[in-house]
Amino acid sequence: MSVARDFFMALSQNKVLNSGAKRWGLKLGAQSVVAGTTVEQMVESVKKLNAKGISVTIDNLGEFVFEKQEALEAKTQILAVIEAIHTHELDAHISLKPTQLGLDVDYTFCFDNLKEIVAKAHAYAIFINFDMEDYGHLEPSFNILDELSKDYDNIGTVIQAYFYEADENLQKYKDFRMRIVKGAYKEPEHLAYQDKKDIDANYIRLIEYHLLHGKFSSIATHDHHVINHVKKFVEEHNISKDKFEFQMLYGFRTDLQLELANEGYKFCTYVPFGVDWYGYFMRRLAERPQNLNLVAKQMFNKKTNTLLGIGAGAFLLGRASKRRKG
Ligand code: FDA
């Protein structure tokens, strides 16, 4: 794993910088990949995408939720987003992270929050996707999905191809609408493929399986090799364009997003918004340090320098202390 990836992953987990960033508003170029800090700003961005024939999944950003009050605030905000989708008749659904609704606080508390959200969305026929986080949250997230799916059919989740157990989970959940991704978190070797070639190969295998046997596949990637492979595969296997969609993140490869929509493929853009943008943005930089060109333009901004400076200091100290520990 590269130093740059380690660096940005460490920054993404830095609570001090995370809370500082909330006060500073969108900085570091984050405004090109985060659709505003308020529901109103997000709705305007979504309308523009919908006008181009692009559907969206909306993520109310939130990190480090360890207090009930924060989880309740997140729930209120997500309920407001559901109301906004309904009121503005947006072509949109919701993506949420179980930790934001209190999974690290208490399982039952989180379950109740998610149930309220899923029930409200169900009344408006809005789909809810549970984003998948690191391995430690996988099992409880699937358990909540299992439990809620007994009463609601408007839910689905994500399969991360780097996990060895991804195959098993994909088969188990083939009758759900599923998003298939490579995987964004740093996971240990005994749980997940580390080599990019292995992850990519497993990713293709899982996509093919779900296209052939699954209910509806959301293929979430910016990788044109994968996209081209899927285009060929669906043609060869006579798979209807109604059975799958491509997904990409807001602000990334926007030309390709539009091109795919114009070619008649279903396309869904993942639209993050909110004041808690920092961890999300750092993970995007970790995945692809070339995204730093988003940051480069902002480098002469004083707050940017402070943020990166503190981050670099914390990261180097962490590495030095790890080396000392041997
Ligand atoms: P990857 O980073 O492997 O790049 C492959 C190649 O694609 C590159 O070498 C380059 O050629 C091209 N490429 C990639 N990005 C490009 C860019 N911006 N511009 C130009 N070329 C580019 N993860 C997770 O663990 N849980 C989740 O719930 C989700 N959810 C999710 C939703 C959506 C809509 C997306 C797109 C992604 C996620 N992810 C995720 C993140 C996912 O797991 C993964 O980390 C990233 O998508 C990066 O992998 P890619 O497949 O996009 O390309």
Side-chain angles (χ1 to χ4, degrees):
M1 189 164 290
S2 74
V3 174
R5 183 173 158 90
D6 281 354
F7 173 65
F8 288 113
M9 282 308 254
L11 286 190
S12 78
Q13 287 150 13
N14 188 307
K15 293 184 188 124
V16 176
L17 293 178
N18 187 71
S19 61
K22 276 188 206 173
R23 288 195 305 274
W24 291 333
L26 292 175
K27 293 285 170 199
L28 300 167
Q31 56 275 26
S32 51
V33 296
V34 176
T37 51
T38 64
V39 174
E40 292 72 25
Q41 289 166 352
M42 174 275 292
V43 166
E44 287 316 304
S45 303
V46 170
K47 282 182 179 168
K48 284 184 194 146
L49 288 165
N50 283 175
K52 294 175 185 161
I54 291 177
S55 172
V56 308
T57 181
I58 301 166
D59 173 24
N60 169 50
L61 292 167
E63 311 262 338
F64 301 118
V65 172
F66 298 110
E67 303 291 336
K68 282 194 173 176
Q69 188 51 35
E70 291 169 306
L72 292 174
E73 282 165 17
K75 181 180 75 177
T76 305
Q77 182 79 341
I78 293 169
L79 292 173
V81 175
I82 293 172
E83 203 56 53
I85 293 175
H86 177 70
T87 308
H88 296 277
E89 299 181 352
L90 302 176
D91 179 2
H93 69 266
I94 301 276
S95 282
L96 54 76
K97 291 183 176 47
T99 54
Q100 196 192 5
L101 280 310
L103 192 57
D104 289 326
V105 180
D106 176 70
Y107 180 89
T108 309
F109 169 72
C110 177
F111 178 87
D112 291 342
N113 287 336
L114 285 170
K115 186 171 178 180
E116 193 177 333
I117 289 170
V118 170
K120 180 170 176 112
H122 188 261
Y124 290 149
I126 294 170
F127 179 73
I128 302 284
N129 185 81
F130 292 6
D131 286 0
M132 274 296 177
E133 304 174 75
D134 58 308
Y135 189 79
H137 295 106
L138 220 62
E139 196 182 328
S141 300
F142 277 127
N143 288 345
I144 294 177
L145 189 78
D146 289 343
E147 210 41 48
L148 286 178
S149 64
K150 289 177 188 161
D151 296 320
Y152 301 99
D153 60 0
N154 60 325
I155 43 177
T157 188
V158 177
I159 295 292
Q160 295 148 300
Y162 56 18
F163 285 127
Y164 304 133
E165 63 186 58
D167 276 50
E168 204 183 302
N169 285 329
L170 194 67
Q171 281 176 35
K172 182 172 173 197
Y173 293 97
K174 72 178 167 43
D175 296 330
F176 285 68
R177 172 180 178 159
M178 282 304 225
R179 178 193 300 157
I180 311 170
V181 301
K182 291 185 188 176
Y185 298 82
K186 187 175 171 177
E187 299 292 355
E189 211 169 331
H190 66 281
L191 295 173
Y193 296 106
Q194 306 292 311
D195 192 301
K196 186 156 169 44
K197 266 201 267 119
D198 294 333
I199 299 170
D200 287 358
N202 201 38
Y203 188 47
I204 293 283
R205 272 190 335 102
L206 296 171
I207 291 172
E208 289 183 353
Y209 174 86
H210 204 254
L211 283 169
L212 291 173
H213 306 287
K215 182 182 177 190
F216 183 84
S217 322
S218 298
I219 299 155
T221 182
H222 306 107
D223 188 340
H224 48 280
H225 305 103
V226 174
I227 292 166
N228 290 337
H229 180 91
V230 169
K231 284 179 168 181
K232 225 169 119 213
F233 185 82
V234 292
E235 193 157 337
E236 283 166 5
H237 292 81
N238 222 2
I239 294 167
S240 154
K241 283 180 174 158
D242 290 343
K243 287 256 303 171
F244 71 99
E245 68 184 2
F246 292 110
Q247 290 190 354
M248 287 187 207
L249 304 178
Y250 180 81
F252 290 93
R253 306 205 86 171
T254 40
D255 291 350
L256 184 54
Q257 297 197 16
L258 197 55
E259 195 180 303
L260 288 165
N262 288 340
E263 284 172 19
Y265 293 102
K266 279 184 183 286
F267 197 91
C268 177
T269 301
Y270 185 104
V271 175
F273 83 101
V275 289
D276 212 349
W277 55 272
Y278 172 81
Y280 170 84
F281 186 54
M282 289 301 141
R283 281 196 298 282
R284 302 292 79 81
L285 293 178
E287 267 160 19
R288 190 173 160 80
Q290 291 97 313
N291 292 338
L292 265 175
N293 61 17
L294 297 168
V295 176
K297 290 183 201 139
Q298 316 281 327
M299 279 306 284
F300 295 100
N301 174 303
K302 205 170 146 211
K303 277 177 189 159
T304 301
N305 285 331
T306 311
L307 200 63
L308 286 176
I310 298 170
F315 176 71
L316 291 172
L317 271 174
R319 281 174 76 87
S321 81
K322 261 188 213 144
R323 269 202 297 274
R324 275 201 299 277
K325 281 180 204 148

